[in-house]
């Protein structure tokens, strides 16, 4: 187990300075966990889309899992390469897409309602977008 912690420590030590890269890794880890959960069951996804749980199917849960996993991978790469404009902006876009999805489900499609399972990804998307917007000039060094 010490070897695993040592390897993780070595990887984290290669991140750019600051908390933002660590945050991106953290949200990626949560996303990967959520993906695994969605591949296994649609139970928690039905809590997220609480206004229309009957529209959550095993297929839609797996699709959501695949989408979340792909976004998590982009964020992992962004965490290690924030100095490159294209990676930083890809990281920003992952949160824009998530925010658009969740707000669309709340306001337009009516699939979500304001509850804990909804507020968590909404708060992560909003706070991450604000943070990344504020730190753009600090991290981006190359076009």
């Amino acid at each position: 187990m010490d070897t695993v912690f040592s390897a993780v420590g070595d990887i984290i030590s290669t991140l750019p300075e600051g908390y933002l890269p660590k945050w991106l890794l953290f949200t990626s880890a949560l996303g990967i966990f959520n993906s695994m959960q969605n591949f296994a069951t649609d139970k928690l996804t039905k809590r997220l889309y609480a206004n229309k749980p009957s529209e959550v199917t095993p297929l839609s849960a797996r699709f959501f899992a695949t989408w979340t996993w792909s976004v998590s991978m982009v964020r992992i790469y962004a965490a290690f390469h924030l100095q490159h404009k294209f990676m930083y902006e890809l990281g920003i876009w992952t949160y824009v897409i998530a925010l658009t999805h969740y707000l669309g489900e709340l306001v337009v499609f009516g699939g979500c309602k304001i509850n804990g399972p909804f507020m968590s990804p909404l708060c992560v998307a909003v706070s991450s977008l604000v943070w990344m917007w504020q730190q753009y000039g600090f991290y981006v060094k190359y076009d």
Side-chain angles (χ1 to χ4, degrees):
M1 196 62 154
D2 288 337
T3 306
V4 171
F5 287 125
S6 177
V8 170
D10 290 344
I11 291 169
I12 290 175
S13 71
T14 65
L15 286 170
E17 65 180 273
Y19 291 109
L20 182 58
K22 293 172 184 71
W23 174 253
L24 291 173
L25 284 183
F26 176 70
T27 62
S28 296
L30 291 176
I32 292 168
F33 169 78
N34 182 261
S35 293
M36 297 304 113
Q37 170 267 309
N38 274 293
F39 280 126
T41 179
D42 59 10
K43 183 179 176 181
L44 294 177
T45 306
K46 287 182 178 190
R47 290 183 58 215
L48 176 61
Y49 299 98
N51 274 348
K52 296 184 179 180
S54 63
E55 292 186 12
V56 176
T57 66
L59 176 61
S60 67
R62 291 190 306 271
F63 183 78
F64 188 69
T66 303
W67 172 67
T68 303
W69 192 359
S70 64
V71 166
S72 296
M73 298 313 296
V74 170
R75 290 178 188 159
I76 288 170
Y77 276 89
F80 286 95
H81 303 286
L82 290 174
Q83 68 275 21
H84 297 285
K85 179 181 177 183
F86 74 95
M87 282 309 306
Y88 199 96
E89 291 177 358
L90 278 174
I92 288 174
W93 277 109
T94 67
Y95 293 112
V96 169
I97 293 167
L99 183 60
T100 302
H101 171 73
Y102 292 116
L103 288 178
E105 284 299 324
L106 178 68
V107 177
V108 178
F109 304 109
C112 293
K113 67 179 179 180
I114 298 176
N115 61 9
F118 172 77
M119 291 305 293
S120 292
L122 184 73
C123 289
V124 167
V126 169
S127 61
S128 298
L129 274 171
V130 169
W131 194 359
M132 290 190 80
W133 184 265
Q134 290 175 336
Q135 294 297 304
Y136 188 91
F138 178 78
Y139 284 102
V140 175
K141 307 293 184 222
Y142 309 110
D143 280 338

